[in-house]
Amino acid sequence: MTEQASRAGLLRSPCWKPASPQEQERFAFFCEDYDLMERPGGVGVMGEKGVHAVLKRHYQPDVSAQEIRVGRFVADAVTGDGQLFEIQTGAFAPLRRKLACFLERYEVTVAHPAYASRWVRTIDPETGELSARRRCGAPETVWKLFYALPAIREYLGQANLHFRVPVLEVRELRVKGDRRRSRRDRVPTALLGEWRFSHPSDFLSLLPPDLPEPFTSSELAAALGASPGDARMYLYLLHQLGLLDRAGRRGHSYLYVHATEREVSFP
């Protein structure tokens, strides 16, 4: 199976929602509007950067329902049905205390963006000259989420915690000669679609239905067109959640099968 065919199979998962033309147009408007905003120091409200600011408007365009205090913390947005949205572009460890508070009373969705493409331009701080744009980094997709989830493992079994992975195209502006703080901003340019997981059992939808059991991480990676590391992290998480069992080894690799009991039990 070719890598292109494998990825096409992954996108047939019911948890993948491609962006409609209307959603793409609306998202593009928010991206352009962000560029026109006056941002002292190059940042937006609450010191946020482009990806965070645009996604917040995407999920809740009403500014009066953004940055809402809930207990000792501030939620990024509240939807019309009272659901809290948190946009987390980095690691999940900083969410731990927020989730402990929010999940006691509310439905909470964490959006963790993946970048299908990143285009970079560098500015010379002395002359203001901009370099030609170049593509940077490998494309990201849903697998990015599984590297972040272990940091909030104690909350993954809660029925009122949900996840989304909006897949974006972004552009970056970097400052020439400043390696430690070179990136000035990262701004979305397009929304391609979104992965939506209402419950951890939805993670199983990424497994190919015709993958023979038992299987190894290498066999899964080949079937999905994923990297071996992405497949290992994904299977590790599903095993820890009790959704997959280990059924011995083949060589140095664990063998995996669907668990007979699918109750989430992340210790």
Side-chain angles (χ1 to χ4, degrees), residues 114-211:
Y115 307 130
S117 66
R118 285 189 294 144
W119 292 93
V120 175
R121 300 187 74 180
T122 301
I123 185 171
D124 188 316
E126 296 181 359
T127 66
E129 183 180 357
L130 278 171
S131 69
R133 71 171 193 162
R134 59 182 177 84
R135 190 184 290 271
C136 179
E140 297 175 346
T141 184
V142 66
W143 309 119
K144 183 180 179 182
L145 175 67
F146 297 97
Y147 289 88
L149 289 176
I152 55 168
R153 56 178 62 114
E154 65 266 43
Y155 303 109
L156 294 180
Q158 301 222 19
N160 56 334
L161 177 61
H162 321 295
F163 299 96
R164 296 194 183 188
V165 182
V167 181
L168 311 176
E169 293 181 348
V170 297
R171 57 178 173 81
E172 292 182 12
L173 181 62
R174 297 182 180 179
V175 180
K176 183 179 179 181
D178 187 352
R179 292 187 177 182
R180 294 186 63 186
R181 297 181 179 180
S182 64
R183 179 160 58 83
R184 177 169 292 179
D185 203 356
R186 177 179 289 161
V187 181
T189 57
L191 172 68
L192 304 183
E194 185 173 62
W195 294 92
R196 300 178 183 178
F197 302 101
S198 296
H199 186 269
S201 60
D202 290 341
F203 297 152
L204 288 169
S205 72
L206 303 181
L207 290 172
D210 56 351
L211 183 65

Side-chain angles (χ1 to χ4, degrees), residues 207 213-215 243-247 255-260:
L207 290 172
E213 293 189 3
F215 57 87
L243 298 170
L244 292 179
D245 288 334
R246 285 174 176 167
L255 291 167
Y256 290 91
V257 296
H258 281 78
T260 53

Side-chain angles (χ1 to χ4, degrees), residues 73-107:
F73 302 96
V74 175
D76 285 329
V78 180
T79 60
D81 58 1
Q83 183 174 171
L84 304 184
F85 258 83
E86 278 297 308
I87 298 153
Q88 194 69 12
T89 59
F92 279 12
L95 285 176
R96 293 167 62 89
R97 292 198 301 161
K98 271 190 174 185
L99 291 177
C101 171
F102 292 171
L103 290 170
E104 289 182 356
R105 297 178 55 192
Y106 299 98
E107 296 279 326

